[in-house]
Amino acid sequence: MINSSYLNDISMNIIKYPIITDKATRLLANNQYSFIVSPKSDKPTIKATIEYLFNVKVVKINTAHLPKKKKRIGQYMGWKSHYKKAIVTLSEGDTINLFAEEN
């Protein structure tokens, strides 16, 4: 088990931001959430961080290292950087509110 004070210090460095795409929103129906994570983080650390930050129970984590890709903007060529994606499956009844409700 990972120490909670350690997680408090590095939690923002592990989980960068959630992915909000068409595929990611379809996965929400299966109680699966997608996040961009640090490329050096491993599954137990990601699991402990998600459980600590959102107070939920994680059942399963799938990760993928996505390669850098060439991008063209007008006449300029560049690269879209390499990143790591984590798809987190939560237990029944647990949810993460990704969309803030405004009053």
Side-chain angles (χ1 to χ4, degrees):
M1 192 65 194
I2 298 172
N3 189 0
S4 64
S5 64
Y6 173 74
L7 283 177
N8 192 20
D9 293 338
I10 66 162
S11 62
M12 292 305 175
N13 294 331
I14 294 173
I15 307 295
K16 296 187 186 277
Y17 53 90
I19 300 173
I20 309 296
T21 60
D22 290 339
K23 183 177 180 180
T25 53
R26 282 195 307 263
L27 289 175
L28 292 177
N30 299 332
N31 213 15
Q32 294 179 327
Y33 296 85
S34 301
F35 295 94
I36 299 294
V37 296
S38 170
K40 295 182 180 181
S41 60
D42 56 350
K43 287 183 181 184
T45 307
I46 296 169
K47 178 180 179 180
T49 304
I50 294 288
E51 289 178 346
Y52 176 76
L53 286 177
F54 299 107
N55 197 21
V56 293
K57 177 69 177 149
V58 175
V59 175
K60 182 176 163 183
I61 295 179
N62 296 332
T63 59
H65 280 279
L66 298 160
K68 65 180 184 176
K69 298 179 183 178
K70 278 189 176 180
K71 295 296 273 185
R72 180 182 191 100
I73 299 176
Q75 67 180 4
Y76 302 105
M77 291 294 293
W79 292 92
K80 182 178 177 187
S81 63
H82 161 266
Y83 61 96
K84 184 174 184 179
K85 175 170 75 169
I87 300 175
V88 178
T89 304
L90 301 181
S91 65
E92 290 293 324
D94 286 339
T95 59
I96 296 173
N97 186 11
L98 297 178
F99 308 105
E101 297 177 15
E102 295 182 19
N103 292 334

